[in-house]
Amino acid sequence: MKPAFYVTTPIYYVNDVPHIGHAYTTVAGDVLARYKRLMGHEVYFLTGSDEHGQKVEKAATTAGETPLELADRVVKRFQALWERLGISNTDFIRTTQERHKKGVSHIFSKILEKGDIYLGEYEDWYCTPCETFWTETQLIEGRCPDCNRPVEKLKEESYFFRMSKYQQALLDHIEANPDFIQPKSKRNEIISFVKEGLRDLSVSRTTFTWGIPVPGNEKHVIYVWFDALTNYITALGYPENTTEYQTFWPVDVHLIGKDILRFHAVYWPTFLMAAGLPLPEKVFAHGWWTVEGQKMSKSLQNVVEPNMLIDKYGVDVVRYFLLREVPFGLDGDFSHAALVQRLNSDLANDLGNLLSRSTAMAVKYFNGTLQAPAELSELDQTLKKRTEDMVAAVDACLNDLAFSKALQAIWEVVSAANKYIDESAPWALAKDPANQARLATVMYCLLELQRIVHCILSAFMPATAEKALSSLGCQGVVNQEGLNWGGLKAGSTITKAEALFPRMEG
Ligand code: ME8
C-alpha cells in the first residue's frame, strides 16, 4: 500500500478576497502535495473556506447580502484563483456544508457529554476582526494585543471548554514531540504561553446567529474557531470511520501563518485530546509578507492580488518567487523589483537559458536524436553525482519544509550544468568528427541532468516542467523512478525549447 500523506492549509475567511498571503500558504501546500505524490505517496491535500462567525456576518450586512450569499460569491474567487495557480487540492471544504456541520455538532456533543464543555457566563473584551476574547490585562492600551484594533466588552452566557484541564498534557506532548510545533522559535513561544496557564475557553456565542447551533441549546452558536478547526477532520468524513479518516488522520502537517499558531497549537490539540482523538503530527507556522517594506492592509491600499501578479509575470514565476525569496518560517518582503530580479536571473538566465542552449545544440549536432552516452569522464561523473546528491538534498529539505533551501539545491545543479557547458565546450567538440562519442556523452549528461531537474521542479512549477520535459522527449514521465540517473533513452527526440521565461525590464 502507498504511504499516506495529509497536508492542509488554513480555511480562509470569506469576508476578504484572496491576496498573496493566502496564495503563499496554498502554494506551499501544493508543492508539498505534488512532491509527495511524485514520491509515491497517496496524498490528501485540503483547503477550504471559513464561512461562519461575526466577522462574516458583519461583512455580509455591509454588502447588503446574506452571509451565505457573500460566502457563495467570495468562495468562487478563491476557487478560481486556486485553479489558476495550479493548486492540486484533493478537496475543498466549506464550513457551511452539511458534512462539516454534522461533524462539528458531533464533536461538540461528545466533549459536552464528557463534561469538558460546561455552561457558564462570560464577561470580557472581544476583538471581532481576530474573533478572539481578551482579558483586561492582556489588552495593550485598551486595544487588541494582536492587531491593535479597538475591542468591545461582551457579557454573555456561554459554554466553556475546560482547556485548563489539558495544560499539563499539552506541555508533555510538546516536550515529547520536538517536531510538533515548528519552527523552533514559535515552539518556544507556545511553550511559554501554555506555561503561563491555560484558562477555560468560551466556545459559544449568543449575540449573533451566523454559525452552527449548539446541539440542544439553539440560543447559542458554536465559536467560529471551534467550528473552523474541526474542518481538518470533517473533510475526512468524521465522525464516520471512513476510509479517508482511517488513512489520513492524524494529519502530517497543518500549514498556517504565524498569526493563527495559538489556535492550531493550543486550542486544536486540546479539543482533540478532550474528544479522545490523535493529535496532528506537525503544525508549521510560516512568516508574514510585508509589501515594499510596509504591512499589507486594505487601508494602505497595498494589498497584492495574486491574479494581477499572474497576469503580469505568469503562474510559475509567482509560485517560484513566493517559495524561493524567503525561508519558510521567516517574515519576508514582497517587491516587484525583487520578483523581476528572480525572474531574470534564476529563471530566464539560469534555468531557461540552460534548456534552450542545450536543446538547440542537440538539434544542431544530432538532428534532435538523443545518442547513447559513451563512458563518463571524471567531469561527467562529478555532474552526475551532484545531480544525485541534489535529489537527496531536496528530499531532506522538503521534509523540513525548507522550500527555499530545496530550490537553492536545485539551482546549484543548474549552475553546475551551465559551467559544465563552458568546460566541456560542445561547439569545439563538434568541429571534429573524431569527437562524436564525446560530444554525444556531453549532450546526454546535460539533457539527463535537466530531465531530473524538471522532474523534481514539477512540484514547484508544474507548467514549466511539463514544457521542459516535453522538449526533452519525456513529457508525463514524472515519478520517483524518474529521479534516478539514466531515464533518457537513446533514440528519443529532443526539440528546441522556446524560452521558458521571457526576461522583463526591472
Ligand atoms: O485566519 N503573509 O483566515 P484568514 C503571509 N479563517 N500569510 C498571510 C498573510 C501575510 N501578510 N496574510 C494572511 C483565518 N496570510 C481563519 C483560519 S483555519 C482552521 C481558520 C495567510 O482568511 C496565513 O496563512 O484570515 C494566515 O494564517 C491565513 O492567511 C489567514 O487567513
Side-chain angles (χ1 to χ4, degrees):
M1 220 175 66
K2 286 181 172 186
F5 186 80
Y6 181 23
V7 54
T8 67
T9 74
I11 49 172
Y12 303 110
Y13 285 128
V14 289
N15 64 315
D16 203 358
V17 294
H19 56 63
I20 49 160
H22 303 124
Y24 185 45
T25 330
T26 312
V27 167
D30 187 61
V31 170
L32 218 50
R34 286 177 184 269
Y35 179 72
K36 291 292 176 181
R37 276 186 211 116
L38 172 72
M39 297 306 279
H41 287 67
E42 190 182 345
V43 172
Y44 205 91
F45 171 26
L46 179 68
T47 189
S49 52
D50 190 352
E51 306 187 1
H52 290 131
Q54 200 169 5
K55 185 148 93 168
V56 173
E57 194 183 75
K58 278 189 176 167
T61 309
T62 310
E65 291 169 303
T66 66
L68 194 57
E69 280 166 355
L70 172 87
D72 284 344
R73 184 166 55 78
V74 177
V75 86
K76 285 200 190 87
R77 297 190 53 173
F78 276 94
Q79 287 169 332
L81 175 63
W82 301 154
E83 201 168 321
R84 252 197 117 185
L85 265 175
I87 303 302
S88 64
N89 53 305
T90 318
D91 194 357
F92 187 102
I93 188 154
R94 301 181 55 178
T95 54
T96 48
Q97 285 168 342
E98 233 16 80
R99 58 170 175 164
H100 175 73
K101 294 194 277 191
K102 203 175 86 195
V104 173
S105 304
H106 183 91
I107 191 170
F108 194 98
S109 303
K110 193 168 167 183
I111 303 177
L112 186 75
E113 279 159 24
K114 190 180 171 193
D116 280 348
I117 288 178
Y118 60 92
L119 191 59
E121 194 173 68
Y122 207 100
E123 185 172 3
D124 241 327
W125 298 96
Y126 195 68
C127 174
T128 307
C130 295
E131 302 275 18
T132 310
F133 271 106
W134 302 103
T135 60
E136 188 83 35
T137 50
Q138 284 173 319
L139 299 182
I140 296 176
E141 292 175 1
R143 285 165 169 264
C144 171
D146 270 0
C147 74
N148 196 35
R149 277 178 281 214
V151 287
E152 50 187 324
K153 188 99 181 210
L154 290 187
K155 180 174 178 170
E156 50 178 295
E157 181 188 275
S158 173
Y159 284 88
F160 286 87
F161 168 61
R162 239 179 259 290
M163 198 157 70
S164 55
K165 177 176 160 188
Y166 294 95
Q167 176 173 337
Q168 197 52 47
L170 180 61
L171 274 177
D172 292 347
H173 184 84
I174 298 172
E175 299 288 346
N177 297 277
D179 290 344
F180 175 49
I181 302 168
Q182 288 189 8
K184 224 190 177 105
S185 58
K186 296 282 177 271
R187 174 177 188 262
N188 294 338
E189 280 174 27
I190 292 293
I191 293 177
S192 317
F193 175 80
V194 180
K195 279 188 174 159
E196 274 169 32
L198 294 184
R199 296 193 313 148
D200 288 354
L201 180 75
S202 165
V203 287
S204 77
R205 301 285 181 270
T206 51
T207 48
F208 64 93
T209 55
W210 181 235
I212 302 172
V214 165
N217 188 353
E218 309 235 322
K219 211 167 70 188
H220 291 253
V221 292
I222 296 175
Y223 174 43
V224 66
W225 273 102
F226 187 98
D227 167 346
L229 288 161
T230 309
N231 90 87
Y232 301 130
I233 52 176
T234 56
L236 301 177
Y238 176 87
E240 307 309 327
N241 195 15
T242 57
T243 313
E244 284 78 13
Y245 182 81
Q246 286 173 33
T247 310
F248 295 106
W249 192 260
V251 68
D252 290 272
V253 57
H254 287 316
L255 296 179
I256 54 166
K258 64 178 184 179
D259 53 322
I260 56 174
L261 178 60
R262 192 178 303 162
F263 302 100
H264 285 80
V266 180
Y267 295 10
W268 179 225
T270 54
F271 296 161
L272 288 166
M273 282 177 184
L277 301 174
L279 306 197
E281 294 288 341
K282 192 185 288 185
V283 176
F284 194 107
H286 65 66
W288 262 42
W289 288 92
T290 50
V291 176
E292 315 271 354
Q294 281 188 307
K295 193 178 162 163
M296 182 165 66
S297 82
K298 267 191 201 163
S299 50
L300 290 173
Q301 296 191 323
N302 65 348
V303 174
V304 181
E305 279 206 61
N307 277 307
M308 176 275 288
L309 291 183
I310 298 170
D311 291 342
K312 199 161 171 188
Y313 304 109
V315 170
D316 281 353
V317 178
V318 176
R319 289 175 63 111
Y320 175 79
F321 177 79
L322 288 177
L323 294 183
R324 175 64 185 88
E325 186 68 3
V326 180
F328 208 59
L330 299 184
D331 292 336
D333 186 50
F334 174 88
S335 75
H336 288 276
L339 194 153
V340 169
Q341 165 72 22
R342 289 268 172 217
L343 163 60
N344 287 342
S345 119
D346 303 3
L347 298 177
N349 275 5
D350 298 346
L351 187 71
N353 254 350
L354 177 63
L355 187 73
S356 37
R357 266 172 106 188
S358 37
T359 53
M361 288 191 281
V363 169
K364 186 166 169 197
Y365 303 143
F366 295 109
N367 227 355
T369 303
L370 188 78
Q371 309 295 305
E375 205 181 323
L376 300 195
S377 72
E378 211 177 303
L379 191 68
D380 309 339
Q381 290 288 2
T382 309
L383 193 74
K384 173 172 180 255
K385 173 85 171 46
R386 289 192 75 154
T387 310
E388 288 163 347
D389 290 350
M390 174 276 285
V391 170
V394 169
D395 192 62
C397 289
L398 289 184
N399 285 329
D400 289 343
L401 303 177
F403 298 100
S404 181
K405 224 167 130 192
L407 287 167
Q408 230 171 308
I410 300 172
W411 256 256
E412 276 165 23
V413 162
V414 169
S415 302
N418 275 316
K419 200 157 152 246
Y420 174 85
I421 299 187
D422 297 337
E423 286 167 353
S424 51
W427 49 89
L429 295 172
K431 285 189 185 138
D432 185 350
N435 293 329
Q436 279 285 299
R438 178 70 201 134
L439 181 61
T441 310
V442 167
M443 289 315 304
Y444 185 90
C445 289
L446 257 181
L447 297 167
E448 175 60 0
L449 171 143
Q450 290 179 78
R451 188 191 59 74
I452 294 172
V453 159
H454 282 283
C455 191
I456 216 158
L457 272 181
S458 66
F460 293 87
M461 300 192 286
T464 302
E466 198 175 310
K467 269 196 246 169
L469 290 171
S470 140
S471 67
L472 295 171
C474 48
Q475 192 178 16
V477 193
V478 174
N479 53 33
Q480 189 174 6
E481 209 181 306
L483 299 176
N484 297 330
W485 187 272
L488 277 183
K489 297 290 170 249
S492 59
T493 305
I494 311 292
T495 43
K496 186 177 167 349
E498 298 303 316
L500 290 177
F501 301 96
R503 287 178 62 89
M504 286 186 83
E505 293 303 314

